């Protein structure tokens, strides 16, 4: 993913589908295979919608672990973002037409059953995923680990190792703590449970904005060996498309 559009790069450094669906622009750093990227933000700010916008800016195989949002809702919103449609547009289309709209998201495999962490590696192999989205981290089962802080630490280390050993990009969507929600300003220590995942991450992206307003800011709170960046724009509540200013 690189400047003026978020685009996935292969090992040669060549961009993949860099100009298509250029809706989140002005990102000034590169995300490469082997990296763990954490996305944090308050409840209702649109973390999943932002993540879906990102997924539609590459044609690489994506495994999307949707562990909070139902598969039907996630699918409909992917269609909305890909085609600039409202919920009503999508429903009307499928009442009168064959399913051709899903061609735009054929590179995305959605799994909604919460997996054990040890089973994620097999799912990645079966789907040949080059990008994995975990939405949200809390939804992964960790048998034998009950303490929230210990679970966060375990998942942070495990996801980082998985990204490196499989040479893939992993995006981890992480809730923030109640204290951080009240304080307002988010940072690398704002994650729910502990900041273990953010500490292990190569990059931490923060989504900010008022739930009742469409204005959103996406900024990097942590970016190893890269420049910090900040993108402001509008998240359309009817189509879920994020358009940068």
């Amino acid at each position: 993913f690189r400047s003026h559009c978020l685009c996935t790069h292969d090992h040669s450094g060549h961009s993949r589908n860099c100009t298509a669906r250029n809706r989140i622009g002005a990102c000034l750093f590169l995300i490469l295979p082997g990296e763990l990227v954490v996305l944090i933000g308050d409840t209702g700010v649109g973390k999943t919608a932002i993540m879906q916008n990102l997924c539609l800016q590459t044609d690489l195989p994506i495994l999307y672990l949707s562990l909070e949002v139902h598969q039907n809702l996630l699918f409909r919103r992917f269609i909305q973002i890909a085609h600039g449609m409202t919920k009503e547009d999508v429903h009307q289309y499928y009442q009168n037409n064959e399913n051709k709209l899903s061609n735009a998201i054929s590179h995305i495999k959605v799994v909604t059953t919460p997996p054990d962490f040890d089973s994620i590696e097999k799912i990645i192999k079966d789907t040949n995923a080059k990008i994995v989205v975990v939405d949200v981290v809390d939804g992964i089962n960790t048998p034998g680990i009950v303490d929230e802080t210990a679970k966060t630490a375990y998942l942070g280390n495990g996801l980082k190792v998985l990204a490196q050993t499989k040479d893939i990009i992993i995006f981890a969507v992480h809730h923030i703590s109640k204290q951080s929600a009240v304080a307002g300003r988010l940072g690398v220590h704002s994650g729910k449970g502990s900041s273990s995942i953010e500490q292990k991450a190569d990059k931490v992206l923060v989504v900010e904005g008022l739930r009742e307003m469409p204005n959103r800011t996406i900024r990097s709170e942590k970016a190893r060996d890269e420049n910090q960046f900040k993108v402001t724009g509008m998240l359309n509540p009817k189509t879920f498309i994020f358009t940068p200013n």
Side-chain angles (χ1 to χ4, degrees):
F1 296 96
R2 198 167 187 175
S3 61
H4 300 303
C5 63
L6 290 174
C7 53
T8 304
H9 285 59
D10 59 25
H11 294 283
S12 66
H14 297 111
S15 63
R16 298 286 305 276
N17 199 25
C18 190
T19 57
R21 311 181 186 95
N22 180 16
R23 296 187 176 124
I24 301 180
C27 288
L28 303 178
F29 65 80
L30 180 69
I31 299 176
L32 292 171
E35 293 188 333
L36 171 62
V37 182
V38 174
L39 181 72
I40 64 173
D42 200 356
T43 300
V45 78
K47 297 186 295 295
T48 294
I50 294 298
M51 198 65 252
Q52 288 182 279
N53 275 263
L54 295 176
C55 289
L56 287 168
Q57 294 188 36
T58 181
D59 56 2
L60 290 174
I62 296 175
L63 170 62
Y64 200 112
L65 301 177
S66 180
L67 308 180
E68 277 193 336
V69 179
H70 189 275
Q71 184 171 358
N72 292 342
L73 177 57
L74 192 77
F75 172 81
R76 193 200 75 212
R77 290 186 177 180
F78 264 129
I79 295 298
Q80 289 180 248
I81 297 167
H83 298 282
M85 302 171 73
T86 66
K87 175 176 68 174
E88 293 74 20
D89 291 336
V90 175
H91 288 165
Q92 183 174 358
Y93 177 90
Y94 280 108
Q95 287 177 356
N96 303 304
N97 299 277
E98 296 180 358
N99 183 17
K100 294 183 179 180
L101 296 180
S102 61
N103 291 339
I105 62 173
S106 60
H107 62 297
I108 303 171
K109 169 66 175 178
V110 176
V111 173
T112 56
T113 303
D116 292 341
F117 183 82
D118 292 341
S119 68
I120 295 178
E121 185 173 350
K122 182 180 185 302
I123 302 174
I124 293 172
K125 181 179 180 180
D126 292 343
T127 58
N128 193 35
K130 302 302 179 186
I131 299 173
V132 175
V133 178
V134 182
D135 185 5
V136 293
V137 171
D138 294 357
I140 299 177
N141 294 323
T142 53
I145 303 177
V146 179
D147 179 73
E148 188 174 61
T149 300
K151 177 177 179 177
T152 303
Y154 174 81
L155 291 174
N157 183 69
L159 290 173
K160 176 58 180 175
V161 170
L162 192 59
Q164 291 178 327
T165 56
K166 292 300 178 182
D167 204 26
I168 59 176
I169 295 170
I170 295 182
F171 286 95
V173 180
H174 194 200
H175 288 311
I176 62 172
S177 64
K178 292 181 180 179
Q179 295 87 342
S180 297
V182 172
R185 174 70 181 183
L186 303 183
V188 294
H189 300 293
S190 298
K192 180 181 177 182
S194 75
S195 59
S196 299
I197 293 179
E198 287 78 11
Q199 290 173 2
K200 288 292 183 180
D202 298 282
K203 297 175 175 70
V204 176
L205 305 181
V206 177
V207 181
E208 295 175 313
L210 298 176
R211 300 173 194 172
E212 63 274 15
M213 300 295 290
N215 308 76
R216 293 292 182 270
T217 297
I218 306 172
R219 60 179 175 84
S220 59
E221 183 64 27
K222 173 184 177 182
R224 288 177 181 166
D225 199 35
E226 299 288 347
N227 296 324
Q228 298 291 321
F229 83 96
K230 180 179 178 180
V231 181
T232 59
M234 306 288 285
L235 183 62
N236 189 316
K238 293 186 177 181
T239 64
F240 298 97
I241 293 174
F242 179 83
T243 304
N245 294 332

